[in-house]
Amino acid sequence: MSSRYRFFWTKFCRASSCFRSIQNNYSSIHASRIPRTTKPFILGFSLFTWLGFDKKLTAEDELVHTIKHCILFIQKNEYEKAEQLLHVALRQAQQIHHELGITYIYDVMANLALQREELDKAKQLFIVVTQRIMGNGTSEDDPRVLHLSVKLARVCHLKKDYTTAQLGFDWCLEKLYKLAETDPSPNTKQLLSMAEDWCGRLYLDVDRCEDGLKLMKNSLNRMKELPDFETEHLVVQLNDIGTVCDRLGQTDESIKYFKEAIELAKSLEMDDLGTMYVNLGRAYLKTSLLDAARKSCGQAWKLGVLAKNQGVKQEAELCIKQINNLL
């Protein structure tokens, strides 16, 4: 293990007891009831393929069926049911001593914890998965280890440990750029896109907006190259990039990104569509395109009323008031 990665790793787990306590008694980690929030996660992107799990088990196996039901519950945002069934799947895997299955289930648990912002729990579980994989002789340059390291860096960011998060992202991006040269597969591109997006968002929080915008744009372009990308995630990226452009005074650029986000969001009937219209209206307002601004904010107001979303409705009304003051 290189000195840079060792330093990054020891910031998470300074003793093997952390690993043993979770592996031997997962029930000691309690799920806190944190509501789902809108975050730029790509959590459906797991270790399933890279672990070779699909090659080791058949679709008829009871364990596979249990895990598939867990994933379905997560996709439906039924997190409590997913949590309970994951414990069942873990016991099944332990009873048949299926080490690969155990590793994969811990990975699903970790991703679920991150999605629910149960950060300490997510950190511990990602440590478990990483140690299980590296315990079999896997190198730190392996895509599976890089995948987990990116998510550990994200956990640091969300916990506001910006120094460790930056160290982790720098190391991961350096390795991933090299990996992309020899392995330009969709899995590598998706992982690199995720790392760039998350590192870009870290830069925004430490007032490095120009650097953050560059990485977020790189991530967006890579995501668009993938044969199968999550449209909802793409919408979030577009809207957030537009917001950063607006913050940096690049108003024309922000309008382009907001409009693209809105067009995609329309087909998905996303709840955040009203907010995007407000963002677009404010950008038009800055460029003195008052008619376009009024139209966008008026559409936002309608969506806020229909959805009974007082926040969007009030923001739209404020935007319209600002427009009227300029007439």
Side-chain angles (χ1 to χ4, degrees), residues 16-29:
S16 60
S17 59
C18 173
F19 167 55
R20 289 195 299 269
S21 65
I22 303 171
Q23 185 181 28
N24 295 335
N25 185 17
Y26 176 77
S27 62
S28 64
I29 305 175

Side-chain angles (χ1 to χ4, degrees), residues 148-207:
L148 294 160
S149 298
V150 168
K151 289 185 175 177
L152 282 168
R154 176 63 176 173
V155 169
C156 281
H157 176 196
L158 294 177
K159 289 174 68 68
K160 302 187 185 305
D161 183 359
Y162 298 139
T163 300
T164 306
Q166 183 67 75
L167 179 68
F169 281 129
D170 286 347
W171 184 87
C172 290
L173 285 172
E174 178 184 324
K175 296 293 184 181
L176 285 169
Y177 287 135
K178 291 180 180 178
L179 178 63
E181 294 176 359
T182 58
D183 176 22
S185 66
N187 275 342
T188 300
K189 287 183 178 179
Q190 188 172 7
L191 178 55
L192 181 51
S193 174
M194 181 171 72
E196 287 177 324
D197 182 46
W198 283 349
C199 186
R201 294 171 190 279
L202 169 66
Y203 283 150
L204 300 183
D205 283 348
V206 295
D207 295 324

Side-chain angles (χ1 to χ4, degrees), residues 114-157:
L114 181 54
Q115 186 157 340
R116 302 177 75 185
E117 294 195 5
E118 299 167 359
L119 300 180
D120 290 333
K121 179 176 169 182
K123 178 186 74 173
Q124 292 176 322
L125 286 166
F126 281 131
I127 288 171
V128 169
V129 179
T130 306
Q131 290 185 323
R132 286 180 67 87
I133 291 174
M134 296 190 75
N136 291 326
T138 305
S139 73
E140 64 186 47
D141 295 338
D142 188 276
R144 295 167 293 178
V145 177
L146 294 175
H147 176 115
L148 294 160
S149 298
V150 168
K151 289 185 175 177
L152 282 168
R154 176 63 176 173
V155 169
C156 281
H157 176 196

